Amino acid sequence: MKSSSPLKWFATREGLYFVALAVLLVVLLPLALDPFRLNMVGKYLTYAFVAIGLVMCWGKAGILSLGQGVFFGLGGYCMAMFLKLEASTPEATAIQSTPGIPDFMDWNQLTELPWFWEPFHSFSFTLLAVIGVPVLLAFVIGFAMFTRRVGGVYFAIITQAIAAILTILIIGQQGYTGGVNGITDLQTLNGWDIRTDEARTILYFVCVGMLFLCLFVARLVQNRKLGRILVAMNAQENRVRFSGYDVAAFKIFVFCLAAAFAGVGGAMFTLIVGFMSPSFIGIVASIEMVIFCALGGRLSILGAVYGALLVNAAKSGFSESFPELWPFAMGALFIGVVLAFPNGLAGLYQTYVMPLEDKIFKRNKGAQLEAKPAEKAAEPKPTAEKTPDYDPMIDSYSPEKS
């Protein structure tokens, strides 16, 4: 029975929602879009990693971070450092005054590779750093803040300040980070040219695979006791603390988890787009990431993915026609989400679409019962187990309906 449970899960409402997203990303979009547009969708999906982390951090635990771009950028910069070193061989940089170092270092009159760049010659170390560096910074911030019971608006302002500080630091240290231009001209990954259409298509599917891995990790967390504690902590933090739980430890964990998701998204962004710059770390980028989560539904991990896709698709389309008006449209969108549908697209889906699904499901279920043979209808019905209803607003089973 237990071995068949994963297959049974795909037949549930929650499983069907995951399957629908997989069909959209793996089948429909690759068939309908040319390589250029598909690469753009891949770029949009890298922001979905951050949005999923924000659902766990903000929607579940009540920790609003306005600096998730920091972790996105750190993961991206770690991958960019590896790719830049691979492109900066002595043969490829023979015309520089100091061959063997990145071009922006040579322009800033550095004569040797900085010590913190050296480990990024290793691809294995880079993969660890993509997750490890954002998680380490998130742990330091979380430990410093949550153990002192700093939260709410104060924590949001602090994370926003950290995003501004890191942006200024990266721009100011041009010789080590590439400055305002960032790290550009990234060409190969272990000798594989990532600039071709075929490579970009492969990277798109890798991005989709990593996205679903993060989705299932988030689902695993929220459907366990840990997820219930996070939700309870959001609603009644003092009660959870008085019950004997270390609230600070849970907050640090979920904040580090969101940072890990963002770091993976940043690394995939660097591979798909081919560069990384401080513009993806700052305050504006971080607030946009919050909007992705808010539009999709800050309580729904699947809604976060759709929110990231829709907002970025609208941004690309709107910017092509009215580039100077997009910031105003983004602000209006955020205000509209907060005032009109605070639970995002997932809330609208739950309110208007799910009742129709329930009617169809009950109608089909009634027809199946009528078609059963008489002997099966006479069999005793099991009463020991009850199948709980799936609530897409919170991506978990609703105890009220079970």
Side-chain angles (χ1 to χ4, degrees), residues 142-170:
F143 185 82
M145 296 295 107
F146 299 138
T147 55
R148 291 168 174 80
R149 300 190 182 182
V150 177
V153 177
Y154 302 103
F155 182 80
I157 294 174
I158 290 172
T159 55
Q160 195 174 48
I162 293 173
I165 291 170
L166 187 60
T167 303
I168 295 171
L169 180 64
I170 291 175

Side-chain angles (χ1 to χ4, degrees), residues 15 74 87 91 116 138 174 207 209 229 246 248 286 295 319 335 354 370:
L74 287 176
E91 296 79 13
F116 58 87
Q174 182 172 335
C207 182
I229 293 175
D246 188 349
S286 297
L295 178 67
S319 298
I335 294 173
M354 278 194 65
E370 291 176 0

Side-chain angles (χ1 to χ4, degrees), residues 89-114:
T89 60
E91 296 79 13
T93 58
I95 61 172
Q96 297 178 178
S97 57
T98 306
I101 63 174
D103 48 12
F104 58 84
M105 294 184 183
D106 186 65
W107 300 337
N108 287 274
Q109 300 179 354
L110 270 67
T111 57
E112 61 180 2
L113 193 68

